[in-house]
């Protein structure tokens, strides 16, 4: 069996449909969310505020004004992500509750994906002083991404038995990094060779953003065709139409939340450490450009290295989980994340080798910690509420972290430097690790009424 093939007990058609949605949305996550859009939106915002793009030696300190508030152009993208995730806290649980009652999860997931892909395609129009349009499209893209992932993650439970979920989740995540790597490599060529192609640098970046939207939308057709719709599992009976039922199911779950203390403890731990992971990912290109003085081409090559290494890292973490259990493997990854943010604070400007070394370390732990967190959490969810619980999980998922980006933006605004902002993220990994050590996975699986896997 190949390293990316389905376990024997998993339907091959659905396995490929599930895995290729990670492939599809990773085009947006890498090209838009990780590499190009935050620094590009920052440059557009700086042009609007200062009449020029800020540099390492001559930064832009003039604020934009939004609803009477002074907003640093360098913090704008991170505040947008923060607002999107705060909105997600209200919106995604309802999406999850609807998905749990819907016999058409596949259609719901793909609908949100195509809406997000459209928002990404429209980023091609963000130029000049249109920073407000860019902020709106980033908000919509992230909200749609989170909504589609709520439904997508819940489908893992439908297609894989408890003992197979670490493998299926890790392999799908590896597919995502492979897809993100390929698209980012293409965009690296476009941005690097923009003069030879007769394009301005801004135009090359905007065409790359367009490609991410097209990639996301077109490859989502495959899971739409290959995944199966299933009747919903039994849920708490609530009267009224689908929307009323969904709110009723959500409120019923919140009323009985104390029945699943290990599930909630894992969720809180994940909220902390994943906020740290997502913030490091989303700020890395801005940190490299604005604090360390690297050109866009260097940043893209570094992210390509991260994507390439993360492909193998996700597979390796799946193997570690089969030997040591997912909980221990995740905790080991969090220790590495702590070392990474400390190293980030100490990185010298304009020195490529240390920056690449940090990228290598990120790639090793990036996919594995996220993939195993998804499969571990799936073991702790009460039957019939999979999408609803994953909606809470998605509040801290990739591209939608809020507390980390808020802390990063505030520390930068207060200090005028990204160095203290990056090291401040270490607290999220420390708190997440402490909470995760207190989670009794066996007890949590029993409380949720699920089948015990051989190893947790």
């Amino acid at each position: 069996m190949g390293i990316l093939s389905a376990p024997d007990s998993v339907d091959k058609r659905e396995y490929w449909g599930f895995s290729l949605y990670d492939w599809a949305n990773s085009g947006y996550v890498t090209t838009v969310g990780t590499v190009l859009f935050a620094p590009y939106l920052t440059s557009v915002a700086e042009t609007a505020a200062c009449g020029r793009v800020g540099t390492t030696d001559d930064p832009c300190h003039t604020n934009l004004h939004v609803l009477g508030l002074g907003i640093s152009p360098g913090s704008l993208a991170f505040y947008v992500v923060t607002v999107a995730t705060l909105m997600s806290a209200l919106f995604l649980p309802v999406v999850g509750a609807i998905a749990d009652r819907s016999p058409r999860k596949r259609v719901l997931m793909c609908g949100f994906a195509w809406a997000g892909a459209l928002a990404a395609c429209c980023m091609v129009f963000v130029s000049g002083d249109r920073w407000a349009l860019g902020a709106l499209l980033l908000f919509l893209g992230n909200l749609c991404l989170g909504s589609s992932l709520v439904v997508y993650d819940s489908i893992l439970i439908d297609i894989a038995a408890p003992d197979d979920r670490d493998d299926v989740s890790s392999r799908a995540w590896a597919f995502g990094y492979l897809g993100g790597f390929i698209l980012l490599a293409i965009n690296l060529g476009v941005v690097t060779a923009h003069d030879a192609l007769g394009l301005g640098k801004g135009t090359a970046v905007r065409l790359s953003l367009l490609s991410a939207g097209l990639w996301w939308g077109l490859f989502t057709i495959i899971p739409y065709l290959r995944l199966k719709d299933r009747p919903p599992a039994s849920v708490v009976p609530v009267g009224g139409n689908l929307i009323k039922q969904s709110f009723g199911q959500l409120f019923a779950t919140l009323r009985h939340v104390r029945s699943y203390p290990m599930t909630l403890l894992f969720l809180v731990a994940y909220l902390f450490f994943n906020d740290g992971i997502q913030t490091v990912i989303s700020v890395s290109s801005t940190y490299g450009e604005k604090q360390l003085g690297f050109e866009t081409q260097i940043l893209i090559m570094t992210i390509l290295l991260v994507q390439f290494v993360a492909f193998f890292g996700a597979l390796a973490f799946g193997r570690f989980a089969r030997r040591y259990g997912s909980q221990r493997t995740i905790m080991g990854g969090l220790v590495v994340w702590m070392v990474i943010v400390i190293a980030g604070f100490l990185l010298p400007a304009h020195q490529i080798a240390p920056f690449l070394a940090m990228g290598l370390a990120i790639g090793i732990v990036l996919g594995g910690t996220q993939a195993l967190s998804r499969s571990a959490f799936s073991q702790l969810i009460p039957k019939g509420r999979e999408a609803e619980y994953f909606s809470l999980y998605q509040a801290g998922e990739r591209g939608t972290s809020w507390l980390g980006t808020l802390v990063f933006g505030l520390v930068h605004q207060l200090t005028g430097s990204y160095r203290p902002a990056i090291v401040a993220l270490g607290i999220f990994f420390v708190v997440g690790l402490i909470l995760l050590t207190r989670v009794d996975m066996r007890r949590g699986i029993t409380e949720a009424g699920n089948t015990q896997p051989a190893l947790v």
Side-chain angles (χ1 to χ4, degrees):
M1 182 173 63
I3 60 174
L4 291 179
S5 59
D8 293 337
S9 60
V10 178
D11 181 276
K12 303 297 189 292
R13 181 179 177 87
E14 289 204 285
Y15 168 79
W16 284 103
F18 182 83
S19 298
L20 284 174
Y21 186 64
D22 252 318
W23 170 287
N25 70 64
S26 289
Y28 173 86
V29 172
T30 55
T31 291
V32 177
T34 306
V35 181
L36 290 180
F37 197 65
Y40 179 71
L41 181 60
T42 297
S43 296
V44 172
E46 287 175 340
T47 300
C50 296
R52 59 177 175 79
V53 176
T55 65
T56 304
D57 298 325
D58 186 19
C60 171
H61 292 302
T62 302
N63 286 341
L64 300 166
H65 294 282
V66 181
L67 301 177
L69 298 175
I71 301 296
S72 167
S75 299
L76 175 65
F78 312 119
Y79 289 153
V80 172
V81 174
T82 299
V83 173
T85 307
L86 290 173
M87 182 62 70
S88 297
L90 300 175
F91 184 65
L92 296 190
V94 178
V95 172
I98 291 173
D100 282 332
R101 294 181 174 275
S102 172
R104 306 185 73 190
K105 281 185 180 180
R106 168 183 62 101
V107 176
L108 188 62
M109 180 192 81
C110 294
F112 280 119
W114 286 323
L118 178 61
C121 288
C122 290
M123 290 176 180
V124 73
F125 300 114
V126 178
S127 61
D129 61 355
R130 296 175 188 164
W131 60 269
L133 175 63
L136 175 63
L137 293 173
L138 180 61
F139 173 84
L140 293 175
N142 279 8
L143 191 62
C144 289
L145 175 67
S147 298
S148 70
L149 289 174
V150 164
V151 190
Y152 172 64
D153 287 343
S154 72
I155 292 173
L156 173 65
I157 297 173
D158 295 334
I159 70 170
D163 284 318
D164 293 324
R165 288 179 197 162
D166 286 342
D167 273 350
V168 172
S169 184
S170 296
R171 293 174 188 180
W173 222 287
F175 265 112
Y177 285 115
L178 183 59
F181 172 83
I182 291 172
L183 181 62
L184 198 57
I186 295 171
N187 289 332
L188 171 62
V190 173
V191 173
T192 302
H194 65 88
D195 285 334
L197 295 172
L199 302 172
K201 183 177 179 180
T203 301
V205 170
R206 289 188 287 113
L207 289 176
S208 297
L209 300 174
L210 173 63
S211 74
L214 293 174
W215 181 283
W216 187 7
L218 292 175
F219 280 110
T220 296
I221 294 173
I222 298 175
Y224 179 81
L225 295 175
R226 288 183 173 265
L227 291 172
K228 299 174 185 176
D229 285 322
R230 292 172 170 82
S234 59
V235 293
V236 178
V238 181
N241 59 30
L242 183 61
I243 300 296
K244 183 177 180 181
Q245 290 176 13
S246 300
F247 274 106
Q249 180 185 340
L250 174 60
F251 294 148
T253 299
L254 294 176
R255 285 196 302 269
H256 293 88
V257 70
R258 294 179 216 174
S259 299
Y260 311 105
M262 293 297 104
T263 305
L264 294 176
L265 184 58
F266 184 97
L267 185 62
V268 174
Y270 176 80
L271 175 63
F272 275 97
F273 71 73
N274 191 66
D275 269 348
I277 293 172
Q278 292 306 317
T279 306
V280 171
I281 295 169
S282 64
V283 307
S284 58
S285 58
T286 302
Y287 187 79
E289 178 178 331
K290 301 298 181 180
Q291 186 66 54
L292 302 180
F294 294 122
E295 295 292 330
T296 301
Q297 292 89 335
I298 298 297
L299 300 176
I300 296 179
M301 285 190 290
T302 303
I303 297 299
L304 279 175
L305 173 67
V306 171
Q307 293 291 119
F308 182 76
V309 175
F311 169 78
F312 296 101
L315 297 175
F317 266 60
R319 292 180 179 272
F320 289 145
R322 288 199 297 273
R323 182 170 181 178
Y324 302 108
S326 57
Q327 186 177 16
R328 290 181 180 178
T329 305
I330 294 168
M331 290 191 293
L334 295 183
V335 173
V336 178
W337 278 109
M338 294 178 201
V339 175
I340 286 171
V341 294
I342 294 172
F345 173 79
L346 299 173
L347 283 181
H350 307 292
Q351 297 295 315
I352 296 177
F355 190 63
L356 291 177
M358 190 176 76
L360 181 67
I362 289 175
I364 292 172
V365 295
L366 177 58
T369 48
Q370 293 176 310
L372 293 182
S373 296
R374 176 170 66 183
S375 56
F377 186 66
S378 74
Q379 311 279 7
L380 302 172
I381 299 174
K383 188 169 292 295
R385 285 177 169 155
E386 292 87 356
E388 184 181 336
Y389 270 72
F390 267 120
S391 70
L392 302 176
Y393 178 90
Q394 278 299 330
E397 186 45 284
R398 53 182 174 181
T400 55
S401 59
W402 64 275
L403 188 55
T405 51
L406 177 62
V407 168
F408 190 86
L410 286 175
V411 172
H412 168 264
Q413 182 148 347
L414 292 172
T415 65
S417 171
Y418 289 114
R419 288 190 185 275
I422 197 75
V423 78
L425 300 178
I427 189 64
F428 292 94
F429 299 112
V430 172
V431 174
L433 178 60
I434 292 172
L435 293 175
L436 189 59
T437 61
R438 301 177 64 85
V439 175
D440 185 336
M441 289 291 294
R442 293 288 184 193
R443 174 186 164 189
I445 294 169
T446 299
E447 290 173 346
N450 293 327
T451 302
Q452 291 278 354
L455 187 64
V456 294

